[in-house]
Amino acid sequence: MTHRATQRGITAGAATAVAAAALTLLSTGAAHAAPDSVNWTDRVATVTRTVSDATPKAGDTITVTTKFERSTNPDLQINWLRDFHDACLTYVTDSAKVNDGTGDKPVEPYLEIRPGFVAGDFTATSYRVTVKPGGPVTFTVRYTVGTSCTRGTPLSSGTAYGSSLGQGDYNSYGPFVTVAKDGGDGGGVSTGSLGSLLGTGSSK
């Protein structure tokens, strides 16, 4: 009797451990995100654009960050910036921020919001956006992925800006976002069902 009780305890404990591991695996797959970045250097700055998840699902919220860097004098003052995106993405209110190393600064109400882009006017804000050598500046914005987004097809994005040293127009440089097909996991590894992982799924 003691032996059988001990054996049942071991079996139950093992099953619990496997179930916990399986749930962790399933959770990891569901939460999977695939960030992506592009960068280039023009006569004004080195620009890096990053999306927090390049393979989101409809309903997900993604973050797009544009970073400006300079390695030489003089300082660069950014007067305005446009963040281009597919019209199926919806801007998240109050999400547009600028960070020059001293903390996030809001862009609204000096933000133009259109179906295909948002644009910040930094000549109207109470602060100035200045990129110093060795001191990067980032512009961050969030979008909700709409159900009208085309599935499985890369959606272009990009930026344009005006500055004290000139303008740049890179409206389709990326990074590209590919919305997962309905029923997909946004690019994560398929983990199957909890029952199949435990070996308790249907054998039919």
Side-chain angles (χ1 to χ4, degrees), residues 17-98:
V18 172
L23 287 172
T24 300
L25 183 58
L26 287 170
S27 175
T28 302
H32 174 82
D36 194 20
S37 295
V38 294
N39 61 47
W40 63 89
T41 300
D42 60 15
R43 61 188 178 85
V44 172
T46 295
V47 182
T48 303
R49 280 177 52 81
T50 302
V51 61
S52 60
D53 190 355
T55 56
K57 298 177 294 185
D60 287 351
T61 298
I62 59 175
T63 301
V64 179
T65 302
T66 303
K67 180 171 68 174
F68 292 86
E69 298 175 283
R70 280 184 62 78
S71 58
T72 60
N73 290 316
D75 293 348
L76 168 69
Q77 181 172 305
I78 300 175
N79 299 321
W80 57 267
L81 181 146
R82 288 183 179 177
D83 191 273
F84 294 95
H85 60 85
D86 193 278
C88 73
L89 303 181
T90 301
Y91 168 71
V92 176
T93 303
D94 293 328
S95 68
K97 308 290 182 184
V98 169

Side-chain angles (χ1 to χ4, degrees), residues 36-190:
D36 194 20
S37 295
V38 294
N39 61 47
W40 63 89
T41 300
D42 60 15
R43 61 188 178 85
V44 172
T46 295
V47 182
T48 303
R49 280 177 52 81
T50 302
V51 61
S52 60
D53 190 355
T55 56
K57 298 177 294 185
D60 287 351
T61 298
I62 59 175
T63 301
V64 179
T65 302
T66 303
K67 180 171 68 174
F68 292 86
E69 298 175 283
R70 280 184 62 78
S71 58
T72 60
N73 290 316
D75 293 348
L76 168 69
Q77 181 172 305
I78 300 175
N79 299 321
W80 57 267
L81 181 146
R82 288 183 179 177
D83 191 273
F84 294 95
H85 60 85
D86 193 278
C88 73
L89 303 181
T90 301
Y91 168 71
V92 176
T93 303
D94 293 328
S95 68
K97 308 290 182 184
V98 169
N99 192 312
D100 60 1
T102 61
D104 288 340
K105 298 177 175 64
V107 182
E108 295 184 43
Y110 306 106
L111 184 73
E112 181 181 4
I113 303 171
R114 296 292 185 90
F117 68 85
V118 297
D121 179 3
F122 304 118
T123 63
T125 57
S126 60
Y127 56 86
R128 293 296 176 262
V129 179
T130 304
V131 185
K132 299 178 179 293
V137 168
T138 58
F139 174 85
T140 303
V141 63
R142 300 175 69 202
Y143 299 105
T144 300
V145 180
T147 57
S148 63
C149 289
T150 302
R151 309 298 199 269
T153 300
L155 308 177
S156 66
S157 70
T159 190
Y161 55 87
S163 75
S164 57
L165 301 179
Q167 297 188 6
D169 188 356
Y170 307 98
N171 60 68
S172 60
Y173 269 46
F176 297 93
V177 172
T178 302
V179 180
K181 296 180 180 180
D182 292 339
D185 63 359
V189 176
S190 176

